[in-house]
Amino acid sequence: MSDTVVVRVPASTSNCGPGFDTLGLALGLYGEVTVNRTDGEGVSYCGEKVDFPPTAIEMIEEVAESFWHKTNSSKFGISFDIVSDAPIARGLGSSVMLRGGVLHGINHLAGSLLTKDEEVELISRIEGHPDNASASIMGGFTVARFCADSNRYLGTQKYPVSDSLAFVVVSPDLEIKTEDSRGRLPSEIEFSKVVSSLNSLAYLVGAFASADYERLSDCRVDHIHEPHRLPYIPKSKEAILAGIKAGALTGWLSGSGSSVLCVSRKENAESVLAAMESEFSSVVIGYQSFVLQADNDGVTALN
């Protein structure tokens, strides 16, 4: 049995507009996580970054303990490293890239004791929501069911996404912590607005499930989280609207931000990107840009 595995993990966009804590989509932007079996039972970081955050070790210790508990298997020591093309804390699922990559690596080294669905369950229980985990681990467009009251994961429905679509992402140099962003959400929402969001959510899922992507142009309504998060990210709302005006089918705030994303036909992607970048260029803020396709494979062991 191998003592080292390299795992490729796709980034993800979550919520997808009205699908708060429910919808996710895996993107062709990747991290590679190396997991090594070591002597003892501890967790260590084996990369070269001397300023690697201590919280990452704590994250992986929690993942490892959850794996040993769920599988009731013999423990072994772990060292890990991650190299990622995705910006951290920008709403592209960087925490799941780390947690999911290491979990899949541990699982691989232990003899593949968990299915991907069980990996999603484990990460969802740790994170408290399944949207990023389901997308990065399963791949494709995902609809995940999770009961927050009982912290119980119930399953994921996955739909492959056509390579005719491009996902245009502009990621401002503005770090957004999910816990801070959640603190801005209201405790109550007007009933009619909830109904409107649910209607938009159902129509969006139908568009991806049927691959009738032109229907996405009618799925922009969200009253659950975007109105309370976008104002804290300069020009984010304007960038989404500019992308749609330039030919995108729809757009949304990716996760809790700061990245914004527009869904476009491939032939319109560059025009959409230029329009979105133009909005952010009008303020004193740097950004990274990506034109991506969906990833339909999810987390994958490369060796």
Side-chain angles (χ1 to χ4, degrees):
M1 190 176 293
S2 173
D3 288 332
T4 300
V5 63
V6 178
V7 176
R8 188 181 75 168
V9 194
S12 59
T13 180
S14 61
N15 299 325
C16 305
F20 184 70
D21 278 2
T22 301
L23 303 184
L25 192 147
L27 299 170
L29 186 69
Y30 299 98
E32 287 194 1
V33 181
T34 301
V35 183
N36 307 295
R37 183 198 305 266
T38 64
D39 295 331
E41 296 183 0
V43 173
S44 61
Y45 175 63
C46 62
E48 297 181 356
K49 285 179 65 178
V50 295
D51 60 344
F52 196 80
T55 52
I57 300 291
E58 297 170 7
M59 289 167 63
I60 300 312
E61 287 174 340
E62 185 177 19
V63 166
E65 286 303 317
S66 296
F67 176 82
W68 307 130
H69 177 75
K70 184 171 181 63
T71 61
N72 195 29
S73 54
S74 299
K75 294 183 179 182
F76 52 81
I78 301 156
S79 67
F80 71 95
D81 187 17
I82 180 169
V83 178
S84 176
D85 294 328
I88 296 173
R90 301 294 190 274
L92 295 173
S94 58
S95 65
V96 168
M97 293 178 80
L98 178 59
R99 285 188 173 110
V102 172
L103 173 61
H104 196 74
I106 296 172
N107 190 32
H108 181 86
L109 294 176
S112 298
L113 304 177
L114 300 181
T115 65
K116 279 192 174 183
D117 195 59
E118 290 171 324
E119 291 180 354
V120 174
E121 177 184 15
L122 193 152
I123 298 298
S124 297
R125 285 179 179 271
I126 292 173
E127 298 222 324
H129 47 88
D131 40 3
N132 289 112
S134 62
S136 285
I137 292 173
M138 296 285 200
F141 173 76
T142 56
V143 185
R145 181 74 177 97
F146 186 81
C147 180
D149 291 339
S150 62
N151 201 34
R152 184 184 174 201
Y153 168 79
L154 299 171
T156 294
Q157 296 188 61
K158 168 187 171 178
Y159 302 95
V161 180
S162 169
D163 61 8
S164 67
L165 289 184
F167 297 88
V168 183
V169 180
V170 181
S171 183
D173 295 338
L174 181 63
E175 182 174 316
I176 302 290
K177 293 183 178 179
T178 302
E179 57 268 28
D180 294 340
S181 182
R182 282 179 176 267
R184 300 184 179 117
L185 302 182
S187 58
E188 296 181 359
I189 300 175
E190 184 181 331
F191 180 79
S192 62
K193 291 184 176 180
V194 173
V195 172
S196 179
S197 291
L198 289 174
N199 182 251
S200 180
L201 164 63
Y203 207 69
L204 185 147
V205 170
F208 274 107
S210 65
D212 187 1
Y213 300 122
E214 296 302 321
R215 302 283 187 179
L216 291 171
S217 61
D218 298 315
C219 304
R220 263 298 301 144
V221 176
D222 171 65
H223 299 290
I224 305 296
H225 75 110
E226 286 196 349
H228 313 288
R229 287 171 158 172
L230 286 171
Y232 292 90
I233 307 168
K235 291 294 181 177
S236 56
K237 181 178 180 179
E238 290 84 352
I240 294 170
L241 295 176
I244 293 171
K245 185 176 181 180
L249 298 167
T250 192
W252 55 68
L253 176 69
S254 187
S256 57
S258 58
S259 297
V260 292
L261 178 150
C262 279
V263 185
S264 170
R265 292 292 185 184
K266 280 181 11 179
E267 57 269 23
N268 296 330
E270 292 303 324
S271 297
V272 171
L273 176 62
M276 295 174 71
E277 288 182 330
S278 177
E279 292 296 330
F280 286 114
S281 295
S282 67
V283 294
V284 183
I285 186 170
Y287 56 82
Q288 292 177 264
S289 301
F290 309 92
V291 176
L292 307 168
Q293 289 185 300
D295 175 283
N296 288 313
D297 298 323
V299 65
T300 305
L302 300 180
N303 64 321

